Amino acid sequence: MKKIQMVDLKGQYESIKDTVNRSMAEVIGSTAFINGPEVHAFQKELEEYLGVKHVIPCANGTDALQIAMMGLGLEPGDEVITADFTFAATAEVIALLKLSPVLVDVEPDTFNIDPEALRKAITPRTKAIVPVHLFGQCANMDAIMQIAREHGLYVIEDNAQGIGATYTFKDGTKVKTGAIGDVSATSFFPSKNLGCYGDGGAIFTNNDDLAHIIRGVVNHGMYKRYHHDVVGVNSRLDSIQAAVLRAKLPLLDTYNQKRKEAAAKYTKAFEGEEKIVTPVLVGEEDSHVYHQYTLKVKDTDRDALGRFLNENEIPCGIYYPIPLHRQKAYVDERYKDEEFGVTNQLCEEVISLPMHTELDDEQIEYITSKVKEFINQ
Ligand SMILES: *Cc1c(COP(=O)(O)O)cnc(C)c1O
């Protein structure tokens, strides 16, 4: 059996080596390392793929979130609501901009922001909502967009884990995640569903004015060379990363399909296991791209399961072990621990199994048999 990886970047690279090596060599030969034609071409191709008017590449997903918020002109003290159960980057940029992060609980089945909790958290100072399509499952965008419309709030999608997923609205309209809210952020970190070979990220929007503002923000606030109209940042996707992404974008749907197939095999193998809750698909087939395959384990020492898997050369991950509202950097007297019952429980029960495009049947069989062996001992 091939050695099991949490994410098998090497196996994936082997299958696209010739294309990637050739295009990286071309960039180096051209010496157009920054803002080269590859970046522009990738931007166009991604706009086409997502069905979004503007893609603005930048240096990483955290920057993308920050820049999206800077572009919206939010003011210090404005409240921005997001999920308690997410990667810290989501809340970090809110705090960094001196906005006020407001964390709310999530749904137990989708792991995504709970629309009811969200509604309750709205105050006159609320300006924006940041739904995260966690683990690749679309957040409930029907409810979120409805709440945003009712209260005049911006929606900033954190699409770092959801690229390639499609949300189907109640009226049947299908929109790719990242093209739904006012503005979105994504990451091309190597292990993401569309990953480059270093850091990378992008901001998406259908709003022409906002796109114009953001193109200046990423470039030191310049709209005309050496005229700095706003305080900006330096955040660029380099041409070598764009070349890698151009080679991988045409394969994104195939990659996501492979993840889905691996997820289906895992789920089938765990059928009938009472202590294991497998991820549920809420919405249509294409609404989940399995950035992670995350189990909830009941009546089980989750950390001991993790150790057992590691001892058997099976990597696994705990995403995420601590709710954001209990993290030192984000504790706030406004939060009452009992209002985060779902997140608190998830942090004790979740365990993510290896998930990538190169998992084979033998590996899945081995991983699931070891999980079952531990659970039923
Ligand atoms: C990865 C990730 C980010 C940050 O992306 P980077 O490129 O690592 O800065 C933000 N939000 C979520 C949900 C992520 O998974």
Side-chain angles (χ1 to χ4, degrees):
M1 187 173 61
K2 277 190 302 180
K3 186 169 161 45
I4 299 173
Q5 311 280 349
M6 193 65 188
V7 181
D8 187 357
L9 293 174
K10 205 171 170 123
Q12 193 188 61
Y13 170 61
E14 289 300 328
S15 68
I16 52 172
K17 198 171 180 171
D18 292 346
T19 323
V20 168
N21 286 5
R22 197 179 333 108
S23 36
M24 283 173 71
E26 276 168 21
V27 171
I28 297 168
S30 77
T31 67
F33 298 118
I34 300 289
N35 286 334
E38 289 293 313
V39 177
H40 192 69
F42 171 63
Q43 170 195 325
K44 290 286 159 209
E45 286 158 11
L46 188 57
E47 284 166 357
E48 179 99 0
Y49 172 84
L50 292 167
V52 74
K53 275 175 89 177
H54 306 279
V55 165
I56 301 125
C58 67
N60 58 68
T62 310
D63 272 9
L65 282 164
Q66 178 184 329
I67 294 158
M69 287 175 205
M70 290 170 77
L72 292 172
L74 303 179
E75 303 275 342
D78 285 351
E79 291 174 1
V80 179
I81 304 177
T82 193
D84 190 34
F85 191 62
T86 177
F87 180 53
T90 321
E92 178 178 67
V93 297
I94 302 172
L96 199 66
L97 293 172
K98 305 278 181 237
L99 310 172
S100 172
V102 176
L103 301 169
V104 300
D105 210 1
V106 296
E107 301 173 323
D109 51 353
T110 63
F111 308 108
N112 282 322
I113 196 163
D114 178 345
E116 278 321 302
L118 161 60
R119 200 182 274 282
K120 277 198 212 124
I122 294 172
T123 75
R125 305 205 66 174
T126 308
K127 289 288 157 56
I129 308 167
V130 187
V132 184
H133 305 295
L134 202 74
F135 304 153
Q137 161 77 61
C138 295
N140 183 345
M141 296 309 288
D142 270 294
I144 293 163
M145 296 308 287
Q146 172 69 29
I147 294 169
R149 267 192 300 271
E150 281 170 22
H151 296 270
L153 308 175
Y154 292 121
V155 173
I156 303 156
E157 295 176 75
D158 181 342
N159 199 30
Q161 301 189 6
I163 198 155
T166 302
Y167 187 78
T168 306
F169 284 89
K170 284 200 193 98
D171 68 2
T173 323
K174 282 182 168 286
V175 187
K176 285 239 156 65
T177 56
I180 303 169
D182 296 280
V183 59
S184 308
T186 205
S187 163
F188 304 123
F189 186 77
S191 65
K192 303 283 157 115
N193 290 35
L194 178 61
C196 57
Y197 292 171
D199 273 309
I203 304 132
F204 318 143
T205 184
N206 283 311
N207 180 322
D208 298 341
D209 296 335
L210 183 58
H212 173 74
I213 294 170
I214 288 173
R215 288 208 174 89
V217 172
V218 297
N219 188 26
H220 303 287
M222 274 196 286
Y223 297 90
K224 207 170 120 192
R225 207 165 167 75
Y226 299 123
H227 292 250
H228 304 273
D229 295 357
V230 295
V231 177
V233 295
N234 167 28
S235 189
R236 300 185 280 238
L237 179 74
D238 69 67
S239 307
I240 290 180
Q241 300 310 333
V244 173
L245 290 164
R246 285 192 77 195
K248 289 176 75 170
L249 180 59
L251 298 166
L252 178 58
D253 286 343
T254 312
Y255 287 160
N256 283 341
Q257 186 57 33
K258 287 187 180 174
R259 288 172 176 272
K260 257 177 244 184
E261 283 162 15
K265 287 174 191 165
Y266 274 138
T267 296
K268 186 148 199 317
F270 292 130
E271 243 168 49
E273 291 295 332
E274 284 177 7
K275 293 182 184 173
I276 298 178
V277 183
T278 53
V280 285
L281 175 77
V282 175
E284 311 262 316
E285 253 328 284
D286 51 5
S287 74
H288 203 323
V289 290
Y290 295 96
H291 175 62
Q292 298 294 347
Y293 183 86
T294 303
L295 300 175
K296 289 184 279 184
V297 290
K298 307 281 176 184
D299 305 319
T300 300
D301 182 342
R302 188 266 321 265
D303 293 334
L305 168 61
R307 285 192 296 274
F308 175 80
L309 294 177
N310 289 163
E311 280 156 19
N312 286 282
E313 305 209 8
I314 301 169
C316 58
I318 309 299
Y319 310 118
Y320 298 92
I322 305 169
L324 281 185
H325 78 275
R326 287 190 198 162
Q327 296 280 5
K328 258 193 211 159
Y330 302 105
V331 285
D332 191 303
E333 59 197 13
R334 286 173 303 181
Y335 303 138
K336 293 188 192 65
D337 194 59
E338 60 273 20
E339 284 171 8
F340 299 94
V342 176
T343 301
N344 289 342
Q345 193 174 344
L346 289 176
C347 289
E348 312 226 311
E349 291 180 349
V350 291
I351 184 162
S352 301
L353 300 182
M355 176 46 76
H356 52 80
T357 56
E358 315 300 313
L359 277 170
D360 63 33
D361 288 354
E362 192 188 0
Q363 292 174 316
I364 292 175
E365 160 61 28
Y366 176 72
I367 296 164
T368 54
S369 71
K370 286 293 167 190
V371 173
K372 287 192 272 190
E373 182 185 321
F374 182 87
I375 294 272
N376 295 312
Q377 73 194 344

